[in-house]
Amino acid sequence: MKKGMWSLGILAIFFVLMSLIVPNAAQSEDTIKLGVTEPLSGTFKDIGTRYLEGVQYAAKVINEGGGLLGEKVQVIPIDSELKPDVATRKAQTVILKDNVKFFCGGTGSSVGEAMSQLAKRQNVIMFTYGMDAASMTGEKCNRNFFRPGGSTDGRSFAIAQMIVKKGFQKIGIIAQDYSFGHEAVDAFKKKLLQLNPKARTVAEIYHPLGTKDFAPYASQLIAAAPDVIFTPNWGNDLTLLLKQGRPMGLKAKVVSYYINDEVMIESLGDDNLILGDMGAEIYMVSIPTKKNEEFVQKFYKDEGHYPTWLRGKSYMAVMFWAEAVKKAGTTDVNKVIKAWEGLTYEGPAGTWTMRACDHQAQVPYWTAEIVKNNPFFKHAFVGPAVEVPAKDVEVPCDQTGCRMGQ
Amino acid sequence: MIFQKKASHFVIAVLFLVGGLAPFALRQYQVAMLTEIIFFALYAVSYNLLLGYAGLLSFGHAMFFGTGAFTAAVALVCIPGISIWSDIFLAVLMAILVGLVVGSLLLRTKGAYFALLTLAFNSLFYVVATKWSSVTGGDDGLSITRPNISIGSITIQLAGITSFYYFTLVIIGMAIVFCWYFTHTAMGRTVLLIRENEERMNFLGYNTHISRLLLFVFTGAAAGLAGAFYSLHFQFVSISAISVDMTTTVLLMAFVGGTGTFWGPILGTFVYIIVQSYLSDLTDHWPLFMGLIFVFMVLVMPGGLSQIIQKIPGVFSGKSGDEPGDRVVTEETIL
């Protein structure tokens, strides 16, 4: 009894001292805080880190230009571990602890969906530049969630157009087994059949997110003998598919959402594994516009490397958000929401317009093929990007499934 | 003896009182953290009833926690207007059913076989939760909205952090007290004696399989209740709730606090969540440090923090306090 009592006594002391034990976070009221939920550890750390670099660079540019509404933008990195429960738990803590009103993130639509619900409950803003599942601005939309970036619909439509133009008939599909993967494939198949009813899907494979062994899936694809393979895979799931699949005899060209990833291409170690593969994205360093060339040069001068893919996307999204805050003239969440709806941003990747009906930015897509010789890297990388206008891949408001405010 | 029991009741009452006053002294995020500590404490206590009391090392306790969490979330999504009481009841009921089915298959094995089979069952539940995405949401998880409490014409809003904290304190607090009471019942003591000498208990006419099954189901129900509150607190549930990581978490909580006393795992939960919160603010590599703490605890202090606390009176009185039986649950330490 005596021993148990001691434990109880210590417990009571812990309760009393808790407020002293847990330190209060440094309150810097003169900054606009932006929480960034990215996987900063684990398998997808590389993806999260590059997105974060883009956000930090945007904050740096804003702060060097006098800040936002006269205040500095403070970036608060949050390691989501690519787990929705972890991301929301940590985000809720910084909302309560540091009064953070704005969040962004680019990795994992599952994280995005959970963050979207949290944003709605807590009346904060969550925006994404890389969580692409169309449903997030479709049937699961809400007024506190914005997507200044691409969606599975837009991307899949752009890729379907490219595949039809190239004349491919037999299509193999491989995707990650979660909402993003399924929605990407559904949109792709829908558009493909619209454009070419004779096209056939000869394989449709779903694998767990973060798969290490692609041999069984590569075998299935090889057996199906497709003309071309469509995959919305990203990060290591794309690297390992190519690295393990090509030596096994996977010859068909791969058309992917995220082919313009220099880290992935370099880690392949052999350009031949990817030469000729194609992709469609909302940002590529090879976009041939004057604004982009200036941005790429400045970024390279400041950071010592190119704003490829993720860095460019997160940079543009944060700059777009900053425009909305500027227009609102306040950090009041409701006023920023109103200001962002219908707002247009002229950035390195063309003109982006935030649609009020679903909070999905209408953006042009850029397609390119992997070539050996390029001005950016010694290894293979994307060739000149070709624009697919936003209008060509637009999903009309009444077809998104979004019932904003209902 | 009567005095000792009264003293225990007094301390429990003081803990409830301190818990009741805590929101007045703490900030909102600290209240949210305290809510988390309370339901995880029940999870750790339920695990310790298996490990510390019955001597059953389970790597599958998350299947109960996850079952409770998912049942609560799925019920809220699929049954519009369900009351919070029915929701929690369904979660516990489902955990009991899982405990009965899995327990009746598992409890004839012992030692390493039992541990491995629990791991296998947990993996099975994890795969079901992942693949049955139309119900569980799979990798995306399920977002829910916490219902309010309706008692007749009175409605108590549970949307706020503080109101849900009080609800958790009362319900989970009572569940923990009930677990403590359970260890003092004839059934609770039987489990302890089965661990010490099962053959003798069989010889005395006890059906040890039934006793262990009852304990397994009871601990499963408690873990399921904790899981339901996990869903309600975060208003979200994902496959993390039913993963082996969740079992590792409770194992750490129990070991950090000490499996030798009833209250050790509660202390362990408290320390674990606060240290985790600290470390994750400081570094992205916090799981590494938590792992090192676990290794340190197992190698240097297998009795956990409660062992250190128990030694304090000995230090003052000049006794070592490191006597045989200190590292296991005995009739004395469970009090």
Side-chain angles (χ1 to χ4, degrees), chain B residues 56-79:
Chain B
L56 295 168
L57 175 63
S58 166
F59 290 118
H61 212 51
M63 69 184 147
F64 298 116
F65 187 83
T67 299
F70 272 108
T71 307
V74 171
L76 281 171
V77 171
C78 298
I79 311 171

Side-chain angles (χ1 to χ4, degrees), chain A residues 1 3 5-6 8 14-15 19 21-24 40 81 84-85 89 96-97 110 114 117 121 177 179, chain B residues 4 8 11 18 26-27 29 131 139-140 143 161 230 234-236 238 240 263 278 281 286 309 313 326:
Chain A
M1 176 64 208
K3 292 173 181 175
M5 289 290 291
W6 271 95
L8 287 174
F14 259 117
F15 271 117
S19 57
I21 292 168
V22 182
N24 291 338
L40 302 173
E81 299 171 33
D85 54 322
R89 189 172 65 200
L96 298 171
K97 205 167 157 182
S110 51
Q117 292 303 315
R121 278 201 301 273
D177 191 7
S179 61
Chain B
Q4 287 172 346
S8 292
V11 174
V18 172
L26 302 177
R27 294 177 60 198
Y29 81 93
K131 290 290 172 191
D139 277 311
D140 299 331
S143 280
I161 287 165
Y230 171 89
F234 291 115
Q235 301 187 71
F236 180 80
S238 74
S240 301
W263 303 100
Y278 254 122
D281 276 353
W286 64 269
I309 294 161
D326 269 5

Side-chain angles (χ1 to χ4, degrees), chain A residues 64-308:
Chain A
E64 281 173 359
L68 196 52
L69 308 178
E71 293 177 8
K72 297 273 183 203
V73 173
Q74 183 190 347
V75 174
I76 300 178
I78 298 166
D79 181 10
S80 72
E81 299 171 33
L82 203 59
K83 293 175 183 167
D85 54 322
V86 173
T88 49
R89 189 172 65 200
K90 290 182 178 176
Q92 176 151 314
T93 302
V94 296
I95 292 170
L96 298 171
K97 205 167 157 182
D98 304 329
N99 195 26
V100 178
K101 292 177 184 172
F102 304 104
F103 290 88
C104 61
T107 318
S109 293
S110 51
V111 172
E113 283 178 23
M115 282 298 299
S116 168
Q117 292 303 315
L118 179 77
K120 187 180 164 189
R121 278 201 301 273
Q122 299 286 343
N123 195 28
V124 295
I125 287 178
M126 168 72 191
F127 65 91
T128 181
Y129 31 76
M131 298 157 173
D132 287 351
S135 59
M136 291 161 71
T137 50
E139 62 268 28
K140 293 174 187 167
C141 72
N142 75 64
R143 65 185 290 275
N144 295 75
F145 182 79
F146 288 82
R147 182 155 47 199
S151 75
T152 46
D153 280 347
R155 237 178 267 276
S156 289
F157 288 4
I159 285 178
Q161 277 187 12
M162 191 199 302
I163 282 180
V164 170
K165 272 184 192 165
K166 300 252 175 196
F168 296 117
Q169 295 289 334
K170 290 187 334 190
I171 321 292
I173 296 171
I174 181 164
Q176 294 152 323
D177 191 7
Y178 74 120
S179 61
F180 162 77
H182 285 275
E183 287 178 27
V185 171
D186 290 347
F188 170 75
K189 282 163 62 183
K190 182 181 156 191
K191 193 70 175 177
L192 184 71
L193 287 175
Q194 274 176 14
L195 298 171
N196 179 12
K198 287 182 184 167
R200 276 193 303 130
T201 302
V202 292
E204 187 172 336
I205 300 162
Y206 296 94
H207 62 81
L209 190 65
T211 290
K212 299 285 184 292
D213 181 12
F214 274 89
Y217 308 113
S219 299
Q220 287 180 57
L221 283 171
I222 293 164
D227 296 337
V228 69
I229 295 165
F230 164 68
T231 180
N233 278 13
W234 49 276
N236 275 341
D237 283 346
L238 180 58
T239 312
L240 294 178
L241 170 67
L242 292 169
K243 218 168 182 173
Q244 295 174 18
R246 293 291 191 219
M248 287 175 67
L250 191 66
K251 303 277 185 220
K253 294 292 171 207
V254 170
V255 185
S256 165
Y257 274 16
Y258 306 118
I259 211 84
N260 62 331
D261 178 359
E262 80 282 10
V263 173
M264 183 268 292
I265 294 172
E266 196 176 5
S267 72
L268 288 174
D270 180 0
D271 289 347
N272 292 318
L273 300 182
I274 199 165
L275 277 177
D277 287 352
M278 294 156 283
E281 247 298 5
I282 57 162
Y283 181 71
M284 294 186 180
V285 280
S286 59
I287 291 173
T289 62
K290 197 166 183 300
K291 269 203 168 178
N292 184 50
E293 281 161 11
E294 285 169 6
F295 165 62
V296 171
Q297 275 174 18
K298 187 176 184 316
F299 191 100
Y300 189 81
K301 198 178 148 200
D302 291 348
E303 304 293 306
H305 51 255
Y306 292 107
T308 45

Side-chain angles (χ1 to χ4, degrees), chain A residues 340-354:
Chain A
W340 208 346
E341 290 175 344
L343 189 66
T344 291
Y345 164 66
E346 295 285 347
T351 305
W352 289 10
T353 304
M354 184 57 73

